[in-house]
Amino acid sequence: MIKQIDVSLFSLRHTFESAQPLSFYADYNENGSVLSYAERGEIVKITHKGSVEKGMLEILSRDNSAAHDAFTRFRLKDRMPTIYKNISTDEHISNSISLYNGMRLTMNDPWETVLTFIISQFNNVKRIRLITKNIVNKFGRPVFGSNGEIIGREFPESKALLKATEKDFMALGAGFRSKYIVEAAEYCTHNIDLYKFSGSNYYKLKEDLMLIKGVGEKVADCIILMGYGNLKAFPIDVHVKRTVERLYFKGRKKKLREIQEFAEERWGRYRGYAQLYLFHNARTGSR
DNA sequence: ACCCAGGCGGGCG
DNA sequence: CGCCCGCATGGG
């Protein structure tokens, strides 16, 4: 069935290309208007029609839960005019917004976010995608087409990785992160329930997440932002750190703590969105 | 060949 | 604590 949702200030392409977890296992077509991913035993196909300012999302799937999921996943409830207004404190941000107008944060599965961002450390986006794809292909539940052929695989739950060893993940290209993956799968299956955590208590959640081996401050912030949807998280990676130091501190080195405080004061409760636009602009804009 | 990539854990002072 | 170092791997 096809479900339609009106969207404004939404860009499927920029959202996909912003390299959030969603993008690690989804595929999209050349002009960026069609996206598909495996979910709930089927392939969901999303088509974006119309303009960024005023358009429509068509969700093709077997039942209408996919439309509901897409609404959550693409954060369609977000009031972008308000958010843009709040984070447009200077021309650097507003330039990035006009370049990538309609780019949304995405709301992803917590475990998927834990795993992909463990893989992300000291790594580049291309290889993160490759490693993640290898893991999905090896451990993800297959989705079958009408002729019984495999047409995609879902992101594997932590339990599905328990049979694998560090060596297995090395073979999939995960490198030194392999031992973290093994331990995280174990820990998230047996010791904690990521789906019971509340995204609203930032400090408590961060503390809990950082007990996972391989999850430090930055990765925890990514999980809180893109896995739990708390816009107060402001992940500071090399790009964001350099950008903030260059733009707002005359190139002087600042401690992470200082940058956190700066972000909170400058962009307030929407600082997660500010981070997205800073990061994406720094990563793709000037290179 | 050399440098870097959405950092982190462990060890040391 | 705060700082520093090594770390798998592949692409530019």
Side-chain angles (χ1 to χ4, degrees), chain A residues 135-195:
Chain A
I135 292 175
V136 170
N137 283 340
K138 178 128 179 159
F139 300 102
R141 186 181 294 122
V143 175
F144 298 102
S146 51
N147 297 324
E149 77 280 24
I150 294 175
I151 54 176
R153 285 178 186 273
E154 295 183 49
F155 197 91
E157 45 192 353
S158 62
K159 183 172 65 180
L161 303 188
L162 291 180
K163 56 180 182 236
T165 65
E166 183 178 341
K167 242 184 193 168
D168 294 325
F169 294 113
M170 292 293 275
L172 299 178
F176 67 90
R177 308 159 196 84
S178 298
K179 59 177 175 294
Y180 300 150
I181 297 174
V182 170
E183 289 186 41
E186 182 80 22
Y187 188 76
C188 292
T189 303
H190 297 304
N191 300 77
I192 57 170
D193 184 354
L194 291 171
Y195 302 96

Side-chain angles (χ1 to χ4, degrees), chain A residues 113-121 177 180-181 184 212-215 219:
Chain A
T113 315
V114 166
L115 184 57
T116 53
F117 277 98
I118 283 176
I119 295 169
S120 80
Q121 64 176 87
R177 308 159 196 84
Y180 300 150
I181 297 174
I212 305 170
K213 202 59 89 53
V215 176
V219 168

Side-chain angles (χ1 to χ4, degrees), chain A residues 82-114:
Chain A
T82 304
I83 292 170
Y84 282 164
K85 197 168 150 190
N86 274 272
I87 66 173
S88 295
T89 52
D90 54 75
E91 61 178 14
H92 306 290
I93 298 273
S94 50
N95 282 347
S96 181
I97 290 174
S98 57
L99 276 174
Y100 309 110
N101 199 24
M103 178 169 62
R104 301 291 181 113
L105 280 165
T106 56
M107 174 75 167
N108 305 278
D109 175 81
W111 161 247
E112 175 199 326
T113 315
V114 166

Side-chain angles (χ1 to χ4, degrees), chain A residues 18-74:
Chain A
S18 68
Q20 301 175 242
L22 159 73
S23 60
F24 294 152
Y25 64 95
D27 267 322
Y28 79 133
N29 75 347
E30 279 175 13
N31 64 19
S33 62
V34 180
L35 176 74
S36 62
Y37 49 85
E39 185 179 72
R40 295 175 191 262
E42 63 172 335
I43 301 295
V44 177
K45 187 174 165 191
I46 309 262
T47 306
H48 185 202
K49 294 181 173 174
S51 68
V52 167
E53 283 73 19
K54 198 165 181 58
M56 173 190 291
L57 272 191
E58 274 187 8
I59 296 118
L60 178 63
S61 69
R62 276 203 297 268
D63 59 61
N64 57 9
S65 65
H68 179 268
D69 291 345
F71 192 86
T72 305
R73 177 181 288 246
F74 294 108

Side-chain angles (χ1 to χ4, degrees), chain A residues 14 70 78 190 223 253:
Chain A
H14 292 321
D78 285 350
H190 297 304
I223 299 165
K253 297 290 177 201

